[in-house]
Amino acid sequence: MNSGALSANGQNRKSDFEILGEWQTTNGNRLMLKARSKTGYASIWLDHNGHPVKIGYTLHAGGVLRDLRWEAPWREQTQAWKTQQRNHIAALIAAWHADNHRPPKPSPLPSNIFGVFDLDGFRFAVEPTATREHAVLSVINNENGLTPVADLLHDDGRLCGLVTRPGWKGTPDDRKRRWRTESQTILTRAATENRL
């Protein structure tokens, strides 16, 4: 099987192996590494007179080679040969994992957000709610998802109160003061721009 094998409806079958790469050993033998998507298993094949022969397998996770086992008689190869093949295999698995696990492109932040600020390595957003005197302070994750951390009560942009949400009650007071200062600046600006 190869990565181009298709089922009758034109889709890759789940059981199909994908060829991660081929290389030639110093003795001129051609080796190939094949794996299935969403598994931690890959097999090593030798091209023997035009026919593939399985000579070993690997276990991997997160793009890192965890274990490599050789079938007989390849177990008897020198340590230098095994190390050289291991290096090829580890590089192929890492590259394959990187290609298959690219982070999704972050979705844009909602357009109605009053403003954002950075603090202690995190990004925060001040976002409106249905009530004019209420806003929410949220932490922004790397995919631009918003997790509320505090409720903000204000009077035309002047901050009257900050109440942390459950799970954030233990936030140190100095950090809450900085949240309050940054949120006040954003709400004041939103009020002067008539966005409240």
Side-chain angles (χ1 to χ4, degrees), residues 134-172:
H134 178 230
V136 174
L137 176 65
S138 295
V139 66
I140 305 170
N141 69 20
N142 61 353
E143 295 177 5
N144 283 342
L146 300 170
T147 302
V149 298
D151 291 287
L152 306 169
L153 300 175
H154 63 91
D155 180 20
D156 282 329
R158 189 176 56 82
L159 197 60
C160 304
L162 182 147
V163 180
T164 52
R165 295 268 179 111
W168 298 89
K169 300 280 185 197
T171 302

Side-chain angles (χ1 to χ4, degrees), residues 7 9-10 15 19 26-27 30-31 55 65 67 86 91 106 111 118 132 142 146 154 156 171 173 181 195:
S7 63
N9 66 4
S15 63
I19 298 174
T26 52
N27 292 340
R30 195 107 191 110
L31 299 182
I55 63 169
L65 178 62
D67 192 17
R86 183 182 185 90
S111 59
D118 295 312
R132 191 178 191 293
N142 61 353
L146 300 170
H154 63 91
D156 282 329
T171 302
D173 287 340
T181 301
R195 293 191 297 131

Side-chain angles (χ1 to χ4, degrees), residues 34-112:
K34 298 195 297 187
R36 285 190 183 118
S37 290
K38 299 185 181 175
T39 70
Y41 175 86
S43 53
I44 308 155
W45 297 78
L46 168 70
D47 181 11
H48 182 68
N49 298 326
H51 298 287
V53 176
K54 183 179 168 192
I55 63 169
Y57 69 90
T58 69
L59 301 176
H60 58 90
V64 177
L65 178 62
R66 302 290 182 194
D67 192 17
L68 189 146
R69 302 283 170 98
W70 298 102
E71 306 283 348
W74 290 273
R75 287 185 202 130
E76 307 308 317
Q77 294 286 347
T78 66
Q79 192 57 46
W81 183 91
K82 289 178 183 177
T83 300
Q84 185 181 44
Q85 306 327 309
R86 183 182 185 90
N87 291 340
H88 278 292
I89 291 164
L92 290 170
I93 287 172
W96 181 60
H97 179 78
D99 286 345
N100 287 331
H101 295 87
R102 293 178 190 238
K105 184 177 179 182
S107 36
L109 287 170
S111 59
N112 65 341

Side-chain angles (χ1 to χ4, degrees), residues 114-115 126 132 135 152-160 179-196:
F114 293 138
V126 176
R132 191 178 191 293
L152 306 169
L153 300 175
H154 63 91
D155 180 20
D156 282 329
R158 189 176 56 82
L159 197 60
C160 304
W179 284 357
R180 187 181 180 96
T181 301
E182 295 289 346
S183 298
Q184 172 71 52
T185 302
I186 289 169
L187 288 169
T188 302
R189 186 173 54 241
T192 59
E193 295 170 355
N194 294 318
R195 293 191 297 131
L196 293 179

